[in-house]
Amino acid sequence: MQTGLSVLLAALDVAVSPVTFFLRDDDAGWDDARLMTLLDCTTKHRVPIDLAVIPQATGTALAATLRARVDAAPTLIGLHQHGYAHLNHETTGRKCEFGSARDVASQRHDLLAGREQLDRYFGARLDAFFTPPWNRCDSATPALLAELGYVALSRDNTAPSQQALPELTVHVDWCKQRRLGLAQGEASGHAIAVDLAQRISDGAALGLMLHHAQMDESDLALFDTWLRRCARHPRAHWATMRELLTAHACVE
């Protein structure tokens, strides 16, 4: 029986065409040390990663460090906005920062304030993408984002469809699947590999979502092993979200 990464590698071996993957790491602004460890890993393996940056959690020291890293390897690190303060405003139901509990004016204020803060820190390095905290937002939010000049929205594949903006969808939640696997006594990331392998035949770019602040040393070590084995696979193409959006525009 195949276990862990071998499942994904076997699926790549028989893929009829190259498979595009992208990494989106959420919550930049939290646990800077772990974020740097993750970036050391992706940079070492020359695999691009996009960071969803929380405006209100990002200070001048982290901003300076990220600017330096992006300038040193501009094709390997993307930066975009992740909510405003990553706060839940819902009184019932699932957590959401830009949900139905807030009117459009309140959402507009936080979107613009967050973008202004990140613009001051990163300037042209910042992509005009938006990832809502907890991967969810109100049905009116995509149109508001388009009105304000954002060019793409990134949520998970369970999010309701919308027509206002291109969607850069993530499909597999590393941390969630890892927790489920460990709870079942499985430590090799088998559930993550199976989930990704089953999606290879879809033909769409596959987004793997990370949360560095939730990844302990064993998670980071396993992820490092995965990248070492997958980064140079002839059927695996690793892209930035910016590259995916450009390809989407070309198709249209």
Side-chain angles (χ1 to χ4, degrees):
M1 175 181 171
Q2 293 176 313
T3 59
L5 181 57
S6 62
V7 173
L8 178 58
L9 293 172
L12 284 171
D13 287 341
V14 298
V16 297
S17 59
V19 180
T20 299
F21 295 91
F22 74 96
L23 300 176
R24 195 194 80 199
D25 175 59
D26 289 2
D27 305 336
W30 293 350
D31 203 328
D32 296 352
R34 242 173 242 187
L35 175 58
M36 293 308 120
T37 301
L38 176 61
L39 291 179
D40 287 343
C41 173
T42 57
T43 300
K44 175 178 67 176
H45 296 297
R46 307 298 294 173
V47 171
I49 186 169
D50 283 89
L51 305 181
V53 185
I54 306 169
Q56 286 290 83
T58 303
T60 56
L62 175 60
T65 299
L66 290 178
R67 286 196 302 269
R69 283 188 176 254
V70 171
D71 290 347
T75 62
L76 293 181
I77 302 175
L79 305 170
H80 69 275
Q81 185 176 346
H82 189 35
Y84 178 54
H86 207 301
L87 294 177
N88 175 38
H89 293 279
E90 301 298 303
T91 56
T92 60
R94 303 172 79 189
K95 293 179 179 179
C96 194
E97 185 172 28
F98 291 83
S100 58
R102 309 189 71 203
D103 59 28
V104 171
S106 299
Q107 292 194 38
R108 178 183 286 107
H109 174 274
D110 282 4
L111 288 169
L112 291 175
R115 185 168 66 186
E116 180 180 353
Q117 185 168 341
L118 294 182
D119 278 338
R120 288 199 305 269
Y121 282 146
F122 303 118
R125 302 172 187 84
L126 186 70
D127 288 311
F129 310 153
F130 186 76
T131 290
W134 298 287
N135 279 282
R136 61 183 72 101
C137 59
D138 185 59
S139 59
T141 308
L144 175 60
L145 290 166
E147 173 194 323
L148 296 177
Y150 293 83
V151 298
L153 176 63
S154 184
R155 300 177 294 175
D156 66 33
N157 63 311
T158 66
S161 62
Q162 53 83 29
Q163 304 300 319
L165 287 172
E167 190 102 24
L168 299 167
T169 304
V170 292
H171 302 85
V172 178
D173 182 339
W174 171 283
C175 292
K176 179 181 178 180
Q177 294 282 37
R178 178 90 164 125
R179 285 194 301 271
L180 291 174
L182 290 172
Q184 297 170 3
E186 192 282 303
S188 70
H190 181 74
I192 304 169
V194 169
D195 203 348
L196 285 169
Q198 290 176 340
R199 298 175 188 276
I200 280 179
S201 61
D202 291 350
L206 298 182
L208 179 60
M209 176 172 58
L210 309 173
H211 289 84
H212 64 272
Q214 300 177 25
M215 298 172 74
D216 60 17
E217 290 184 5
S218 66
D219 283 317
L220 291 165
L222 179 63
F223 187 67
D224 182 77
T225 299
W226 275 49
L227 288 193
R228 177 169 52 81
R229 299 284 303 279
C230 290
R232 297 292 173 263
H233 193 287
R235 284 287 186 268
H237 171 66
W238 298 87
T240 61
M241 290 167 64
R242 187 185 310 119
E243 181 182 346
L244 293 175
L245 186 64
T246 300
H248 179 275
C250 290
V251 169
E252 291 189 339

